[in-house]
Structure formats: C-alpha cells, structure tokens
Amino acid sequence: MPNLDTTKDLFADLVDTVARALAEDCGTGDITAELIDIETTANAAVITREKAVICGRPWVTEVFRQLDPSLTLDWLVDDGDLVAPNQLLFTVTGHARQILTGERTALNFLQTLSGTATRTRHYSDLIKHTQTRLLDTRKTLPGLRTAQKWAVSCGGCYNHRIGLYDAFLIKENHIIACDGIPKALRSTQHVDANIPIQIEVESIPQLKEALDHGAKLILLDNFTLEAMRDAVQIADGRALLEASGGITLESIVQIAETGVDRISIGALTKDIDAIDLSMRFKFDN
C-alpha cells in the first residue's frame, strides 16, 4: 500500500492536470482520429514491456472520462502493484476516436508515474533493513508535483513538503537573511504548531546551535558519513535528523546505517526512466 500522508490531498488538482495535458495534445482537435467513422468501436489493451511498479491509474482513468464518459475501463492492477513484463494492465472499450485521442496522454501519465514509483521502490528496498525513512523533494516535473508525490508513496517512500506553503525549511540563505540560527528559529515562534519547522545546518557547531535553540527537525546538508554519525550521537533523540545533498544509489545504504532518521533525495522524481508500455487495438467495425 502507498505510504500516503493522509493530511495531504494529492488528488486535488487531478482533473485540472489532465485537462491541461489533453489541451496541450489535442489543441483544436485530433484531426487524424477524425478520419475514423464516428460509430467505429474498439477494445484496446495496455501492457507493460518491463518489470515495474505501476502508478497513474487515477490520471489514466480521468483522461478517458474527460474525452468520453461512455468509455469502459477494466483495470487488472492497482497503483503500487509490482508487475512483470508483458503483463496486462487495463483495457478500454468504446468509441475508437476517443480511445485513439487519449492514448498518448494516458500512457504519458502512466509511463512517467510508474517510472517514478519503480525508481523509488529500488531506493526503498536498498535501505529496508534500517529504520530510516526515504523522502522526496520539490525537484519534480513542472505540473506533475502532486502526481509524482503520489508515485513516491506508491513506491514505498514518503513525501516531504508539497510546496513552499505547507512546511518551513530554513536554509542557508534564510539563516543569513535572518542574521543567524537563533533569530531564524525565534521568528517561527508565532506560527501554527501543526506546521513542520526544519532548519538546515552545514556543520557540527551549527547543529549544536540549532539544538540549543530548540530545533526539532534538522537537515544535515552534505555531511560526511563520520559527521552524520557524530550528529546522531550529539542529537541523541532531541531532534529528527535528515540527511540531504549528493546522495546516490552507491552511498544511500551507508548513510542510512549512520542512524539518521530521514534521507531526502531529489533523484526519486527528477532522474527517472519512463516505463515501456504498449497499447494494442482490436477494432470492432
């Protein structure tokens, strides 16, 4: 099951996202599909050509709903399912024109979000022997922020803040502009207690300063493995520690094994390979 933070509605913009994608592709109309008789019907089956974690079902369903509510979709998999090469994912039945018009937009959503979920599952599996949580970042494809956040949860990892509005992340330049860590933290005393407040540190002295001024969520920016281990000992449970910066498939296991509580990594959503999918048609008349 997806590791969804239920306080965050990742489907609020689904209808608008799909509408924009269809408008981008269709423009003033699908002139090629108009060559087909309006009464022609078809059954189309979508398969995956490679092993993958599937994600994108709500977006695919919405594509065909917006084009033609009379189309019938029969899903054989759910978001978060691991599928094998050549496995049937879903079929869509109805007017051939609308199925053909929606084919590319639907598969674009499915291949991209499944690619995100598949990559995320790979990272997640590497550190499943630890207690460390793996989080995404704001390094997402423009227009697909919430969709990719859903894909990350389907891949077995967790969501960081959705945007600039739902959590504080006080970074280096914010600290400089606030004239230091103490003043930066004091400036958050008036905010809603339910909004997470995280501060970035770049050294052990900064970590100690943040702890001394009540920080409960601290981002360790580009710390070495030795410094991370020291940070875990120094914090001693007083704050959640998150490692970030330059984390790769080769380094993530060692980082998780330092005992940090969280790791955030942009590669979950920005360095992805789309899953190879295929739609096969059978025309009825």
Side-chain angles (χ1 to χ4, degrees):
M1 293 296 292
N3 291 327
L4 181 63
D5 181 346
T6 55
T7 65
K8 298 173 180 177
D9 185 356
L10 301 184
F11 301 98
D13 62 352
L14 187 152
V15 173
D16 288 341
T17 298
V18 169
R20 286 194 300 270
L22 285 171
E24 176 182 66
D25 203 29
C26 297
T28 57
D30 182 352
I31 59 176
T32 309
E34 290 174 2
L35 300 175
I36 301 168
D37 189 283
I38 195 170
E39 298 299 327
T40 298
T41 58
N43 176 273
V46 173
I47 66 167
T48 175
R49 296 189 181 277
E50 58 184 305
K51 181 179 178 180
V53 176
I54 291 301
C55 183
R57 176 171 166 169
W59 287 265
V60 171
T61 299
E62 180 63 18
V63 166
F64 291 112
R65 188 200 68 78
Q66 290 192 21
L67 287 171
D68 183 355
S70 72
L71 295 176
T72 300
L73 271 74
D74 183 16
W75 282 93
L76 285 80
V77 297
D78 289 320
D79 279 3
D81 285 355
L82 181 64
V83 298
N86 299 312
Q87 185 169 336
L88 179 61
L89 306 180
F90 72 93
T91 61
V92 54
T93 305
H95 294 108
R97 280 190 181 186
Q98 282 72 28
I99 296 174
L100 286 165
T101 296
E103 174 186 4
R104 176 42 50 203
T105 299
L107 295 189
N108 281 349
F109 279 116
L110 194 60
Q111 70 186 20
T112 301
L113 299 181
S114 294
T116 303
T118 301
R119 184 169 183 82
T120 299
R121 179 69 59 85
H122 183 42
Y123 273 90
S124 177
D125 285 346
L126 289 174
I127 64 167
K128 63 184 179 181
H129 63 290
T130 73
Q131 298 299 310
T132 304
R133 281 192 171 194
L134 188 58
L135 284 74
D136 55 25
T137 70
R138 288 167 45 243
K139 296 177 181 178
T140 53
L141 300 177
L144 288 180
R145 171 69 55 81
T146 54
Q148 283 198 288
K149 293 279 186 178
W150 171 247
V152 165
S153 69
C154 289
C157 295
Y158 296 82
N159 298 146
H160 211 294
R161 59 180 179 165
I162 300 300
L164 297 172
Y165 57 89
D166 62 332
F168 289 89
L169 178 47
I170 307 169
K171 304 188 76 173
E172 176 187 8
N173 287 331
H174 299 104
I175 292 170
I176 293 171
C178 290
D179 195 24
I181 288 174
K183 288 186 179 180
L185 289 171
R186 281 198 299 272
S187 68
T188 66
Q189 292 176 351
H190 67 286
V191 305
D192 187 330
N194 293 317
I195 300 177
I197 300 170
Q198 184 175 29
I199 191 162
E200 176 185 273
V201 300
E202 298 179 314
S203 65
I204 292 297
Q206 282 192 337
L207 169 69
K208 292 178 178 178
E209 187 176 26
L211 289 168
D212 289 343
H213 288 85
K216 299 300 181 185
L217 183 54
I218 300 175
L219 187 146
L220 309 177
D221 182 41
N222 286 298
F223 272 44
T224 65
L225 288 173
E226 182 179 0
M228 286 184 205
R229 295 188 191 99
D230 290 344
V232 170
Q233 290 186 340
I234 292 167
D236 194 25
R238 289 182 288 165
L240 291 177
L241 300 182
E242 177 181 319
S244 185
I247 296 166
T248 65
L249 284 169
E250 292 71 32
S251 65
I252 193 170
V253 173
Q254 287 181 301
I255 292 171
E257 290 175 347
T258 66
V260 292
D261 302 285
R262 315 183 340 169
I263 298 172
S264 55
I265 181 166
L268 299 183
T269 50
K270 70 183 182 70
D271 298 336
I272 58 171
D273 295 316
I275 299 302
D276 189 7
L277 305 172
S278 176
M279 179 177 278
R280 299 173 176 177
F281 275 80
K282 179 180 179 181
F283 293 94
D284 298 326
N285 58 309

